[in-house]
Amino acid sequence: MNTRAPENNGEIEHASHRFLKSRTSIFKVLTVVTTTAAALSLAACGGASPTISQAGATQSASASGSATPTPTPTPTPTAPKTASCVTENATESYPPKQFICTKSDAGVLLWMESSESKRVTDARAAAAAAAAKAAADKAASDKAAADAAAAQAASAQAAAQAKAAADAAAAKAQQDQAQARQVQPVAPPSSVYYANCTAARAAGAAPIYRGQPGYRPALDRDGDGIACE
């Protein structure tokens, strides 16, 4: 009995030591996990910096006697924070996204994600193209209207000039006819003979003078050049 007692005591002490060591290791592992989880939670909420979380994780790992764990990665920024948007089309890369300094519809330079920047700039370019086309169409329409008005005015002027020329020609023709009637006196038929000039005038006929058509010397009996007596 006495020879077995020391062996049993040694086994008990060895088992107790293993139990305590296992319990300590479990406790240290739980501490590391809890510290890491807390650091990740704080980093996601914008709290403690990743450097503090990494120091805590390193201290816990050193206390446990295990290898140093990989530091908790710093969350990747999702938009520019420190860079100023002062130059249009300037870019800032925050993988997997890229931001472009873009002028908004209000005329203010803002950081926009590349797809949103393209949408805004394409919409602005389309609006500018539509406005330019509308202006060009209006200019063409105004020119066509002006050309039509000028052509109509020229046609009206030509018609007025033609009418004035026709009226002048008609007036001259009437004047020429009137002058012709005044130059050529109407002679009575040569077959009509009046006994004297008084009778001729009473009948509405003028005496026929020598040299006029229808003058016959036989009717001028006294030879005074008037074919009536």
Side-chain angles (χ1 to χ4, degrees), residues 35-120:
T35 303
T36 304
L40 290 175
S41 177
L42 288 174
C45 297
S49 65
T51 303
I52 297 175
S53 300
Q54 178 181 353
T58 304
Q59 183 178 359
S60 299
S62 298
S64 63
S66 60
T68 302
T70 303
T72 304
T74 302
T76 302
T78 58
K81 292 182 180 179
T82 59
S84 299
C85 180
V86 294
T87 304
E88 191 172 4
N89 296 327
T91 59
E92 285 288 333
S93 182
Y94 291 81
K97 295 183 179 180
Q98 186 177 40
F99 291 83
I100 303 175
C101 187
T102 308
K103 183 178 291 185
S104 67
D105 294 337
V108 180
L109 289 175
L110 301 172
W111 286 114
M112 296 185 186
E113 197 271 329
S114 57
S115 60
E116 177 65 12
S117 174
K118 185 177 185 303
R119 185 190 68 79
V120 171

Side-chain angles (χ1 to χ4, degrees), residues 137-194:
D137 291 345
K138 185 178 184 304
S141 177
D142 292 345
K143 184 178 182 304
D147 292 344
Q152 185 175 3
S155 177
Q157 184 178 4
Q161 291 176 349
K163 184 177 183 302
D167 293 344
K172 187 176 185 305
Q174 291 178 355
Q175 184 178 4
D176 293 343
Q177 290 176 1
Q179 290 178 352
R181 285 195 298 268
Q182 291 176 359
V183 171
Q184 298 177 358
V186 178
S190 59
S191 60
V192 177
Y193 174 74
Y194 296 96

